[in-house]
C-alpha cells in the first residue's frame, strides 16, 4: 500500500507539472479529484464490458492471480509478438493495427506483469485471502502455471484499482442484474447501485466506508446536478432533495439499508433526474455521466490506461483490444467517434509532455491523429459540443507548440533539433484546423488565446516564429553584453562592438543549424532571420546614437562595425533568395540601412532639437515670470524677447558653423522650429484679454419725459470719485494741466507693443541670414519634418508665418490698450461724465484735456514704430466711446435738436486732437474716414423728431421685410447689432429714445410701450 501511495503521489505531481506547461482544455470538475474520477471510470468501464470475456461473461476465465503482478514493482506490461488476440481476451498479441497506423513501437518483452501466477499467496489488498475476485468467487487450484492476463486484469492493473474494490464492484453488478441480465449498461446508474447493494461490513472500517460513500455522492452530484447533459431547473424538487441528501452525507454516514427512507428518497430523486428528457417527452435513455466536462474527464481516465506503467513513453501492445472495450462506455458517457478522436489525440500529446518530451513517437502519433481530427472537423454533422471540445484541445496544443517555436533557439538545442521537425507541423496543423474548420462554425467562438494574435493562415506563421525566436536570442546576447559591461565598466561603444560580433555569430548559427529545417516551410528562412537580426541591432544602435551629440572616434568605430555586420546580413539574404521570383527584394526592403550619412543627419537633427528645446524652455520661463516692465528707458521692451532673440541668433550662427554641407531640408527644419517659437511667443504677448471686456453693457431703452425725477434733480447727483479727483487735480480751466489717467495695466500693454515691434525689427535680419547662406541639395529625411511646409525656389523668406503672427498680435494688443485707455482709464471724464444731465453743462473739453495728457504719455512710452497703430486704435476707441455716449448713454443723458451744434463742435475738437497729435502719426484722411460713422449719427441728432420717426418707420420695415409702411402697421422692434450707422433702424430708435420732446415720447410709448425714465 505504501508503494501504491507513493506512485499515486508521483502521478498527481506529474499532472500538476503538465498543467503548468499546458493549458488544460476541458475545464474542472468541482469537488471530484483524479482518484475519484479514475475509480468511477473503471466502474463504468467494467459495467459496460460485463458481458465480455474476462469480465464475468459467458466465456470468462475463472482463475487469475495477481501475486506475481504485485511482486513486479506494480508496473510494466506487454504481450508477445506474432499471435493475434485470443477470443477469450487472453494470450499473446500480435502487431497492433493502431500502433502500426500511428507509428508507435511494439513492446518486445513478456513482462511478469503480463502473466498471472497460480501461487496461492493472498494479496495485501485482498480481505480474507481471496485472490481471484471473479464473479463465481471460486478458489483457484494451487500451483497453476503462469498464463497471459486477460483484458479485465490488464485494465484493473492499468487503472490501479485494488482487488477489494474490484470484488465489491462485481458483487454489486451480480446483485443488480439478478433477473435482468439483458439490461443495457447505460441504464445502470452505478453510484446508486453501489450505494444500494454495498454495506459497511464489506469495508475494512467505518472510516473507509464513509470515504467511499462520499465519493459516490460526489459523483452523483457532479453527473446529475453540477454538470448534467440536460440542464436541471432550479425549481426541480427532486434536485433539491438530492442536494439535501448530498449535503448531509458530508457530515455523517447516510443509512442505505433496505428499510431506509433516505435510500428510497435517494433512489427516487436520482432516477427521476437521470431519466429526464430535454423536451419533457418519454425518454428511454439514462443521463447521469454524459454531461460536459465530467464525461470527458472520465473518458480521459480510461484512455490514459493505454500507457505502460514501467515505461510511460510506450503504449501497450493490447491497445486495439483495450480501445475496443473502452468504446463500450460511449453510450454511458455520451461519447462518439469524433469526440473519441479528439480525446485520443489529446491523451497522446499530453503523455508526450508528461514524459518530459523524450519520446518523439508520441508526438508523431498526435500528428497522425490530427489528420483524422481534421477530416472529422470537415463533416457537416458535427455538433456544438464537439466543436467546443475540439477548439479547446487545439488551442491548448497550439499554445504549447507556439511557446516552443517562438523561442526555438532556447527550446531546441542542437542535440534535439530533430524534435523541431515535429513541433512545427503540430503548430501549423492545429492552426489550420482552427482557422479553416472550427472558425467557420458560427455557433462556436474560437478563443483568442493564440500567442500570434492577428497572424492567420494567410500570413506566414513560420515567418513569425523565426522573427520572434531571433528577437529572444538577440535579447539574451544583449543581456550578456550588458552584464559584462557592468562588471568591467566598459564604454557603451565597446559594448556595442561586442554586440555586433555576437549578432554575427548568431546569424551564422541560424544559417547552419536551423535554416535548413525551417526552409521546408519557408522559402527564405535564413533571409528572414537576417532581416530580424538587422532590425534588432539597428534598434540598439539607434538607442546608442540618441546619447551621441557630436561625432567621435568611438562613434565612427561603432558605425564601421555596424556597416560590416550589415554587409554580412545582406549577403545572407541575397544567398537565400536566389530562387525567389523577386530575388529577395521584398525582404531586403525591410532592412533599414545603417547609412552613415543618415546617422550624421540624425545627429544634426538632434542638435537642432536641443537648441529649439532651449528656446521653448526660455519661452516657458517667460510665460511664468514676465511682468512687462522695461529694463530701462533705452530698452522699453520685455527682456524675455531679448533672450529669445539671442537664443535664435546663436542657434542660426552655430548651425552654419558645423563643418558639413547644410541641406535644404535641414535648413528648413531649423527655420520652422524658430518660426514656431516666435509664433508661440506672439500668441503669449497677445494673451491680454479682448476689447469687448472693456465696453460697458448697453442700458435698456427708455423714453424721455420732461417731468422725470432725474431731470429735476440731476444737478444734485454726486460725480464719480475718480472723476472728481481728476477735476480737482487738473482743475476746470484750460490753464491747468490735469495728470494723465493712464493706468499701470495700460502702460504694461504699451510694453507689450514695444516688445512685438522689437521682434519685428530683428526678425528681418534673422530671416536675411537664413536666406543668404549657401547650402547643398536635400539629404534623405527621416520623417523629422515630413509634414512641414516647403518654400518654392522663388521665395527667399523663411519666417513669413512668424512675421504675420507678430503683426496680428500687434493689432490685437493695440486695440485692447486703446479700449482700456478710453473705457476704463478715462471713463470718469469721458463715458461717465460727457453730456450727463444736459449738453451745455457737460461739454467734452475736460475729457479732451485728459486725452491729450494720455496721448503724451503714450508717445513717451511707445517706440516710434509702435505709435502710429496705437494712436489710430485710440482714435477708434474714442469714436466708439463718443457713439456710446450719444446712443447708449442711459437715463442720465437727454438731447434736444438744439444740442446738435454743440455736439458737432465737440466732435470736431475730438477729431482735431488726432489730426494734430505728433508729426502726422495719423493722416487726416484716415481720421476723416474713421469719423464718417460718428458724423452720420450726429447728423441724425440734427433732424426733426417727425423726420426721425418717418425715417425709422421706413428702414425698420425694410429691414424686417414688411415692405412699404401703411397706416395701422405695427412696427417691429429692431435688433441691437452694436454696429451704429445712420441707416440702422436701431441707431435711429436710440436717437429717438434720447430725444427730449413730446413727439418722440408719444411715438415710443404708442409703438413699443417703452417705459419712462425715473
Amino acid at each position: 500500500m505504501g508503494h501504491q501511495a507513493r506512485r499515486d503521489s508521483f502521478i498527481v505531481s506529474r499532472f500538476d507539472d503538465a498543467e503548468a506547461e499546458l493549458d488544460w482544455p476541458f475545464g474542472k470538475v468541482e469537488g471530484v479529484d483524479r482518484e475519484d474520477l479514475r475509480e468511477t471510470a473503471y466502474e463504468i468501464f467494467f459495467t459496460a464490458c460485463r458481458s465480455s470475456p474476462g469480465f464475468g461473461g459467458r466465456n470468462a476465465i475463472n482463475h487469475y492471480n495477481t501475486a506475481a503482478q504485485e511482486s513486479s514493482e506494480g508496473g510494466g506490461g506487454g504481450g508477445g509478438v506474432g499471435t493475434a488476440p485470443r477470443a477469450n481476451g487472453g494470450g499473446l498479441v500480435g502487431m497492433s493495427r493502431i500502433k502500426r497506423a500511428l507509428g508507435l513501437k511494439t513492446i518486445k518483452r513478456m513482462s511478469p506483469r503480463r502473466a498471472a501466477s497460480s501461487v496461492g499467496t493472498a494479496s495485501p489488498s485482498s480481505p480474507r485471502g481471496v485472490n481471484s475476485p471473479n464473479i463465481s468467487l471460486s478458489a483457484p487450484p494451487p500451483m497453476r502455471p503462469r498464463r497471459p492476463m486477460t483484458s479485465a486484469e490488464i485494465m484493473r492493473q492499468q487503472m490501479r484499482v485494488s482487488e477489494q474494490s474490484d470484488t465489491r464492484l462485481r458483487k454489486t453488478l451480480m446483485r443488480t442484474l439478478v433477473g435482468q441480465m439483458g439490461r443495457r449498461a447505460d441504464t445502470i446508474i452505478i453510484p446508486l447501485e453501489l450505494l444500494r447493494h454495498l454495506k459497511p461490513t464489506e469495508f475494512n472500517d467505518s472510516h473507509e466506508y464513509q470515504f467511499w460513500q462520499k465519493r459516490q455522492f460526489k459523483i452523483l452530484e457532479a453527473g446529475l446536478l453540477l454538470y448534467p447533459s440536460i440542464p436541471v431547473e432550479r425549481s426541480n424538487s427532486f434536485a433539491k432533495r438530492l442536494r439535501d441528501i448530498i449535503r448531509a452525507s458530508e457530515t455523517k454516514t447516510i443509512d442505505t439499508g433496505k428499510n431506509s427512507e433516505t435510500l428510497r428518497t435517494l433512489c427516487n430523486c436520482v432516477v427521476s433526474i437521470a431519466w429526464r428528457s430535454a423536451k419533457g417527452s418519454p425518454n428511454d435513455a439514462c443521463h447521469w455521466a454524459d454531461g460536459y466536462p465530467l464525461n470527458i474527464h472520465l473518458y480521459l481516465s480510461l484512455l490514459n490506461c493505454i500507457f505502460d506503467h514501467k515505461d510511460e513513453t510506450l503504449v501497450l501492445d493490447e491497445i486495439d483490444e483495450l480501445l475496443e472495450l473502452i468504446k463500450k462506455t460511449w453510450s454511458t458517457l455520451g461519447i462518439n467517434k469524433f469526440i473519441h478522436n479528439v480525446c485520443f489525440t489529446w491523451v497522446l500529446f499530453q503523455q508526450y509532455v508528461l514524459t518530459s518530451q523524450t519520446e518523439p513517437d508520441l508526438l508523431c502519433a498526435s500528428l497522425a491523429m490530427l489528420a483524422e481530427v481534421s477530416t472529422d472537423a470537415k463533416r457537416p454533422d458535427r455538433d456544438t459540443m464537439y466543436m467546443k471540445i475540439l477548439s479547446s484541445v487545439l488551442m491548448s496544443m497550439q499554445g504549447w507548440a507556439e511557446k516552443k517555436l517562438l523561442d526555438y533557439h532556447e527550446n531546441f538545442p542542437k542535440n534535439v533539433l530533430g524534435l523541431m521537425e515535429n513541433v512545427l507541423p503540430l503548430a501549423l496543423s492545429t492552426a489550420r484546423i482552427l482557422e479553416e474548420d472550427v472558425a467557420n462554425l458560427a455557433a462556436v467562438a474560437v478563443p483568442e488565446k493564440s500567442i500570434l494574435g492577428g497572424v492567420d493562415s494567410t500570413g506566414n506563421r513560420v515567418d513569425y516564429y523565426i522573427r520572434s525566436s531571433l528577437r529572444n536570442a538577440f535579447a539574451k546576447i544583449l543581456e550578456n553584453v550588458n552584464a559584462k559591461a557592468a562588471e568591467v565598466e566598459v564604454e557603451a561603444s565597446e559594448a556595442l562592438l561586442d554586440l555586433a560580433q555576437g549578432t554575427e555569430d548568431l546569424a551564422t548559427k541560424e544559417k547552419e543549424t536551423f535554416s535548413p529545417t525551417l526552409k521546408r516551410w519557408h522559402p527564405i528562412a535564413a533571409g528572414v532571420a537576417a532581416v530580424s537580426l538587422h532590425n534588432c541591432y539597428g534598434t540598439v544602435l539607434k538607442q546608442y546614437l540618441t546619447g551621441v551629440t557630436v561625432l567621435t572616434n568611438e562613434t565612427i568605430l561603432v558605425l564601421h562595425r555596424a556597416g560590416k555586420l550589415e554587409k554580412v546580413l545582406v549577403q545572407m539574404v541575397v544567398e537565400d533568395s536566389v530562387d525567389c521570383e523577386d530575388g529577395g527584394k521584398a525582404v531586403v526592403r525591410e532592412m533599414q540601412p545603417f547609412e552613415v550619412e543618415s546617422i550624421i543627419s540624425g545627429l544634426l537633427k538632434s542638435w537642432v532639437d536641443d537648441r529649439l528645446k532651449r528656446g521653448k524652455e526660455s519661452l516657458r520661463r517667460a510665460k511664468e515670470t514676465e511682468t512687462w516692465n522695461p529694463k530701462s528707458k533705452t530698452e522699453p521692451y520685455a527682456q524675455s524677447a531679448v533672450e529669445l532673440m539671442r537664443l535664435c541668433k546663436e542657434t542660426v550662427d552655430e548651425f552654419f558653423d558645423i563643418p558639413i554641407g547644410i541641406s535644404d531640408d535641414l535648413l528648413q527644419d531649423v527655420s520652422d522650429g524658430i518660426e514656431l517659437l516666435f509664433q508661440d511667443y506672439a500668441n503669449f504677448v497677445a494673451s491680454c484679454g479682448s476689447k469687448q471686456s472693456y465696453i460697458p453693457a448697453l442700458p435698456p431703452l427708455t423714453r424721455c419725459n420732461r417731468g422725470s425725477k432725474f431731470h429735476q434733480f440731476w444737478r444734485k447727483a454726486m460725480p464719480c470719485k475718480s472723476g472728481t479727483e481728476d477735476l480737482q487735480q487738473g482743475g476746470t480751466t484750460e490753464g491747468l494741466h490735469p495728470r494723465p489717467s493712464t493706468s499701470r495695466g495700460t502702460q504694461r500693454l504699451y510694453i507689450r507693443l514695444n516688445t512685438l515691434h522689437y521682434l519685428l525689427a530683428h526678425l528681418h535680419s534673422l530671416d536675411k541670414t537664413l536666406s543668404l547662406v549657401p547650402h547643398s541639395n536635400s539629404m534623405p529625411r527621416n520623417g523629422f519634418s515630413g509634414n512641414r511646409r516647403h518654400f518654392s525656389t522663388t521665395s527667399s523668406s523663411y519666417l513669413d508665418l512668424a512675421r504675420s503672427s507678430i503683426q496680428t498680435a500687434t493689432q490685437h494688443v493695440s486695440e485692447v490698450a486703446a479700449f482700456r485707455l478710453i473705457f476704463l482709464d478715462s471713463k470718469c471724464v469721458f463715458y461717465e461724465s460727457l453730456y450727463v444731465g444736459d449738453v451745455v453743462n457737460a461739454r467734452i473739453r475736460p475729457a479732451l484735456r485728459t486725452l491729450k495728457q494720455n496721448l503724451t504719455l503714450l508717445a513717451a512710452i511707445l517706440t516710434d514704430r509702435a505709435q502710429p497703430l496705437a494712436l489710430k486704435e485710440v482714435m477708434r476707441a474714442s469714436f466708439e466711446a463718443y457713439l456710446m455716449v450719444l446712443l447708449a448713454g442711459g437715463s442720465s443723458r437727454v438731447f434736444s435738436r438744439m444740442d446738435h451744434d454743440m455736439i458737432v463742435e465737440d466732435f470736431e475738437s475730438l477729431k482735431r486732437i488726432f489730426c494734430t497729435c505728433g508729426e502726422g502719426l495719423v493722416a487726416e484722411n484716415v481720421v476723416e474716414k474713421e469719423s464718417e460713422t460718428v458724423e452720420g449719427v450726429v447728423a441724425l441728432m440734427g433732424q426733426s423728431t417727425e423726420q426721425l420717426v418717418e425715417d425709422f418707420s421706413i428702414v425698420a420695415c425694410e429691414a424686417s421685410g414688411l415692405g412699404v409702411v401703411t397706416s395701422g402697421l405695427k412696427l417691429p422692434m429692431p435688433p441691437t447689432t452694436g454696429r451704429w450707422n445712420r441707416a440702422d433702424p436701431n441707431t435711429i430708435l436710440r436717437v429717438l429714445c434720447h430725444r427730449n420732446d413730446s413727439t418722440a415720447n408719444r411715438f415710443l410709448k404708442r409703438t413699443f410701450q417703452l417705459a419712462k425714465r425715473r
Side-chain angles (χ1 to χ4, degrees):
M1 291 295 289
H3 174 79
Q4 183 66 36
R6 289 193 301 272
R7 180 173 186 80
D8 290 347
S9 176
F10 172 71
I11 295 295
V12 171
S13 175
R14 285 195 308 116
F15 270 93
D16 292 338
D17 293 341
E19 288 179 354
E21 190 171 357
L22 283 174
D23 290 332
W24 180 253
F26 303 110
K28 293 184 177 180
V29 178
E30 297 295 336
V32 183
D33 58 26
R34 291 192 181 95
E35 297 301 317
D36 298 339
L37 290 170
R38 191 179 67 242
E39 292 275 356
T40 303
Y42 177 76
E43 292 164 359
I44 295 173
F45 169 81
F46 194 94
T47 304
C49 300
R50 71 189 190 283
S51 59
S52 301
F55 292 86
R58 187 174 301 172
N59 297 323
I61 298 176
N62 294 327
H63 304 282
Y64 71 90
N65 191 291
T66 58
Q69 105 187 29
E70 294 293 340
S71 63
S72 60
E73 300 181 356
V81 181
T83 60
R86 297 215 311 236
N88 63 359
L92 300 176
V93 294
M95 179 60 184
S96 165
R97 178 184 56 82
I98 294 177
K99 295 183 72 171
R100 185 168 57 248
L102 298 180
L104 296 171
K105 294 189 290 286
T106 299
I107 305 176
K108 297 181 179 180
R109 55 184 163 84
M110 181 65 178
S111 169
R113 192 177 61 142
R114 281 289 175 269
S117 173
S118 59
V119 178
T121 306
S123 171
S125 62
S126 176
R128 300 182 301 276
V130 179
N131 297 316
S132 301
N134 82 27
I135 200 166
S136 66
L137 298 180
S138 57
M143 301 303 295
R144 179 79 61 167
R146 293 184 178 183
R147 59 165 178 79
M149 296 174 64
T150 65
S151 298
E153 293 173 316
I154 294 173
M155 199 66 178
R156 184 182 70 79
Q157 174 183 283
Q158 290 293 105
M159 299 196 72
R160 298 184 296 280
V161 175
S162 66
E163 292 186 32
Q164 186 179 17
S165 297
D166 185 67
T167 302
R168 287 196 294 261
L169 177 60
R170 291 171 180 266
K171 287 181 180 180
T172 300
L173 290 177
M174 182 176 64
R175 295 165 184 171
T176 300
L177 298 175
V178 172
Q180 42 182 338
M181 295 301 293
R183 183 177 176 182
R184 299 202 319 266
D186 57 359
T187 65
I188 301 174
I189 306 174
I190 299 172
L192 179 62
E193 298 300 334
L194 289 170
L195 289 170
R196 287 178 57 205
H197 295 293
L198 293 181
K199 307 306 175 189
T201 56
E202 299 183 61
F203 293 82
N204 291 333
D205 51 44
S206 60
H207 177 73
E208 181 184 4
Y209 175 74
Q210 185 179 13
F211 182 81
W212 172 87
Q213 190 183 74
K214 284 183 179 181
R215 175 172 73 83
Q216 305 305 327
F217 279 119
K218 284 191 291 184
I219 295 298
L220 286 174
E221 181 183 28
L224 298 175
L225 300 179
L226 299 181
Y227 311 102
S229 59
I230 301 174
V232 180
E233 303 82 0
R234 290 188 177 182
S235 59
N236 190 303
S237 59
F238 296 110
K240 291 180 180 179
R241 288 198 292 270
L242 176 58
R243 194 173 287 110
D244 292 340
I245 295 173
I246 293 172
R247 294 289 86 83
S249 70
E250 295 176 357
T251 57
K252 64 178 182 178
T253 304
I254 302 298
D255 180 16
T256 57
K258 291 184 178 180
N259 300 322
S260 171
E261 182 64 29
T262 303
L263 180 61
R264 283 194 291 269
T265 303
L266 175 65
C267 294
N268 190 25
C269 293
V270 170
V271 171
S272 299
I273 297 173
W275 287 89
R276 291 174 304 119
S277 64
K279 298 181 180 179
S281 58
N283 190 15
D284 60 350
C286 178
H287 303 278
W288 71 273
D290 55 350
Y292 180 83
L294 176 63
N295 60 339
I296 301 300
H297 281 256
L298 293 170
Y299 194 65
L300 292 177
S301 297
L302 294 174
L303 291 181
N304 278 312
C305 74
I306 66 173
F307 300 106
D308 191 347
H309 285 175
K310 190 170 245 184
D311 184 353
E312 295 183 332
T313 64
L314 300 177
V315 176
L316 298 180
D317 291 337
E318 296 87 353
I319 180 175
D320 295 33
E321 184 175 350
L322 292 180
L323 289 183
E324 194 65 29
L325 293 171
I326 291 173
K327 182 177 179 180
K328 295 178 181 294
T329 65
W330 287 6
S331 59
T332 302
L333 298 177
I335 304 295
N336 55 34
K337 178 185 176 183
F338 305 148
I339 296 177
H340 163 79
N341 287 341
V342 174
C343 292
F344 189 50
T345 303
W346 170 259
V347 165
L348 293 170
F349 172 72
Q350 183 190 44
Q351 190 70 11
Y352 169 72
V353 177
L354 286 175
T355 54
S356 303
Q357 305 157 42
T358 56
E359 181 49 73
D361 285 355
L362 290 174
L363 187 58
C364 293
S366 300
L367 281 171
M369 283 304 302
L370 273 180
E372 188 82 13
V373 169
S374 178
T375 303
D376 295 342
K378 291 179 172 60
R379 295 175 62 93
D381 55 344
R382 53 191 181 173
D383 57 64
T384 303
M385 180 56 65
Y386 165 71
M387 298 307 293
K388 178 180 178 181
I389 296 171
L390 174 62
S391 63
S392 298
V393 169
L394 293 180
M395 287 298 299
S396 180
M397 296 174 68
Q398 182 191 25
W400 177 87
E402 287 180 349
K403 286 179 183 178
K404 297 288 184 183
L405 293 170
L406 291 174
D407 194 5
Y408 59 75
H409 288 84
E410 178 71 18
N411 294 316
F412 300 109
K414 195 169 184 179
N415 58 333
V416 294
L417 183 60
L419 182 59
M420 184 177 175
E421 298 181 3
N422 292 326
V423 176
L424 188 54
L426 177 70
L428 298 178
S429 298
T430 53
R432 185 181 65 254
I433 298 172
L434 281 169
E435 292 159 6
E436 295 179 1
D437 302 321
V438 178
N440 293 333
L441 189 65
V444 176
V446 179
E448 297 182 0
K449 293 172 61 179
S450 174
I451 299 173
L452 298 187
V455 178
D456 54 23
S457 59
T458 58
N460 197 320
R461 307 182 81 88
V462 179
D463 185 284
Y464 188 87
Y465 299 150
I466 296 172
R467 295 175 189 270
S468 175
S469 185
L470 282 164
R471 281 197 299 267
N472 292 328
F474 180 86
K476 291 181 177 65
I477 296 175
L478 179 60
E479 183 179 354
N480 294 334
V481 169
N482 288 336
K484 178 182 176 182
E487 290 178 1
V488 298
E489 298 182 357
V490 300
E491 294 293 333
S493 56
E494 185 176 345
L496 209 61
L497 294 174
D498 292 341
L499 180 63
Q501 184 61 48
T503 304
E504 186 173 336
D505 294 342
L506 178 60
T508 303
K509 177 183 177 182
E510 177 72 19
K511 179 181 178 182
E512 296 175 355
T513 305
F514 295 102
S515 295
T517 299
L518 294 168
K519 200 171 182 65
R520 293 166 52 188
W521 290 275
H522 197 294
I524 47 174
V528 172
V531 171
S532 300
L533 291 175
H534 186 278
N535 293 337
C536 289
Y537 188 81
T539 301
V540 178
L541 182 63
K542 288 180 181 178
Q543 292 177 353
Y544 164 76
L545 292 174
T546 54
V548 177
T549 56
V550 293
L551 291 176
T552 63
N553 292 336
E554 290 78 10
T555 304
I556 293 174
L557 283 175
V558 170
L559 293 175
H560 286 171
R561 186 65 182 87
K564 179 183 176 182
L565 173 63
E566 185 175 46
K567 291 179 181 179
V568 171
L569 296 177
V570 170
Q571 183 64 26
M572 187 171 165
V573 173
V574 172
E575 292 176 358
D576 200 46
S577 306
V578 174
D579 298 332
C580 294
E581 295 180 358
D582 62 349
K585 293 180 180 179
V587 179
V588 173
R589 280 194 293 269
E590 295 185 43
M591 304 175 76
Q592 297 296 327
F594 301 153
E595 296 180 358
V596 175
E597 186 178 7
S598 298
I599 293 174
I600 294 175
S601 176
L603 291 173
L604 285 174
K605 286 176 171 55
S606 299
W607 180 90
V608 171
D609 285 342
D610 179 67
R611 292 301 186 273
L612 295 179
K613 184 179 179 181
R614 296 182 187 180
K616 292 178 182 178
E617 182 64 24
S618 174
L619 181 58
R620 184 190 63 79
R621 289 196 303 269
K623 291 179 180 180
E624 294 176 353
T625 61
E626 185 57 67
T627 60
W628 306 111
N629 291 317
K631 181 179 181 181
S632 64
K633 290 184 178 181
T634 59
E635 297 181 4
Y637 35 76
Q639 288 303 302
S640 59
V642 178
E643 176 67 15
L644 180 64
M645 185 58 70
R646 182 185 63 80
L647 284 174
C648 291
K649 286 185 176 180
E650 288 180 356
T651 298
V652 173
D653 294 340
E654 292 177 9
F655 176 72
F656 292 133
D657 288 340
I658 298 175
I660 60 170
I662 304 300
S663 68
D664 291 336
D665 291 336
L666 196 57
L667 180 61
Q668 187 64 55
D669 291 337
V670 175
S671 62
D672 285 351
I674 292 175
E675 190 170 54
L676 288 175
L677 288 176
F678 283 125
Q679 286 179 296
D680 198 1
Y681 189 83
N683 292 334
F684 163 60
V685 177
S687 59
C688 56
S690 66
K691 67 178 184 179
Q692 299 298 329
S693 61
Y694 297 107
I695 300 176
L698 299 179
L701 293 176
T702 57
R703 54 192 171 89
C704 290
N705 56 310
R706 292 180 181 275
S708 67
K709 294 179 181 179
F710 177 83
H711 185 72
Q712 296 174 13
F713 302 108
W714 69 268
R715 295 179 186 275
K716 298 181 181 180
M718 181 66 68
C720 69
K721 184 176 181 180
S722 60
T724 303
E725 291 176 354
D726 285 342
L727 291 175
Q728 291 174 352
Q729 294 174 1
T732 59
T733 64
E734 296 182 8
L736 299 177
H737 301 284
R739 296 176 62 183
S741 62
T742 306
S743 65
R744 293 297 298 273
T746 305
Q747 293 178 39
R748 283 192 283 268
L749 290 176
Y750 294 162
I751 302 302
R752 290 178 185 245
L753 286 174
N754 287 342
T755 302
L756 291 170
H757 282 279
Y758 168 82
L759 292 178
L760 276 176
H762 288 77
L763 199 66
H764 177 71
S765 63
L766 189 62
D767 197 5
K768 187 176 181 180
T769 303
L770 291 170
S771 303
L772 296 180
V773 68
H775 43 271
S776 62
N777 293 330
S778 299
M779 288 175 19
R781 299 170 62 83
N782 293 333
F784 182 78
S785 59
N787 295 327
R788 295 184 182 172
R789 61 190 174 86
H790 291 271
F791 292 102
S792 64
T793 55
T794 59
S795 175
S796 60
S797 177
Y798 285 87
L799 303 175
D800 280 345
L801 291 179
R803 185 178 294 105
S804 176
S805 297
I806 295 174
Q807 290 170 347
T808 301
T810 302
Q811 176 69 37
H812 175 73
V813 176
S814 298
E815 289 179 354
V816 174
F819 273 73
R820 179 185 173 91
L821 176 68
I822 298 302
F823 282 97
L824 182 64
D825 299 344
S826 304
K827 66 178 180 179
C828 290
V829 295
F830 208 136
Y831 181 72
E832 292 183 354
S833 300
L834 182 60
Y835 302 152
V836 171
D838 59 4
V839 175
V840 67
N841 293 305
R843 298 287 294 274
I844 201 173
R845 185 168 296 175
L848 295 181
R849 285 198 296 270
T850 302
L851 180 60
K852 288 181 180 179
Q853 295 297 325
N854 288 335
L855 293 180
T856 301
L857 181 61
L858 179 148
I861 297 176
L862 288 178
T863 60
D864 293 342
R865 293 177 179 271
Q867 289 180 20
L869 179 60
L871 188 61
K872 181 180 177 181
E873 292 303 324
V874 171
M875 177 185 68
R876 288 178 175 174
S878 300
F879 291 172
E880 182 71 19
Y882 195 73
L883 283 175
M884 292 282 291
V885 169
L886 299 180
L887 300 176
S891 59
S892 63
R893 293 180 173 91
V894 292
F895 301 102
S896 66
R897 191 176 180 185
M898 294 182 296
D899 297 331
H900 176 259
D901 293 338
M902 291 183 287
I903 294 174
V904 171
E905 182 181 350
D906 286 350
F907 185 63
E908 288 298 325
S909 300
L910 180 61
K911 289 167 53 181
R912 195 177 303 113
I913 286 182
F914 295 104
C915 290
T916 59
C917 183
E919 298 179 359
L921 293 178
V922 182
E924 187 172 348
N925 63 328
V926 175
V927 176
E928 291 298 330
K929 183 178 180 180
E930 294 293 336
S931 64
E932 289 177 356
T933 300
V934 183
E935 291 173 342
V937 174
V938 172
L940 290 176
M941 301 184 71
Q943 293 182 359
S944 64
T945 303
E946 291 78 7
Q947 184 64 44
L948 288 172
V949 171
E950 181 180 353
D951 291 348
F952 170 75
S953 301
I954 293 173
V955 296
C957 289
E958 290 177 354
S960 62
L962 296 177
V964 182
V965 181
T966 59
S967 58
L969 179 66
K970 184 177 181 180
L971 295 176
M973 173 67 74
T976 302
T977 62
R979 295 187 294 271
W980 316 121
N981 187 283
R982 66 176 301 166
D984 173 42
N986 187 265
T987 302
I988 301 174
L989 177 62
R990 289 180 176 275
V991 173
L992 286 172
C993 289
H994 289 81
R995 179 61 62 88
N996 190 19
D997 65 18
S998 58
T999 303
N1001 184 37
R1002 287 194 301 272
F1003 173 75
L1004 294 173
K1005 179 179 180 182
R1006 182 182 67 252
T1007 307
F1008 300 113
Q1009 292 79 41
L1010 292 182
K1012 291 182 180 182
R1013 297 186 182 181
R1014 299 185 180 276

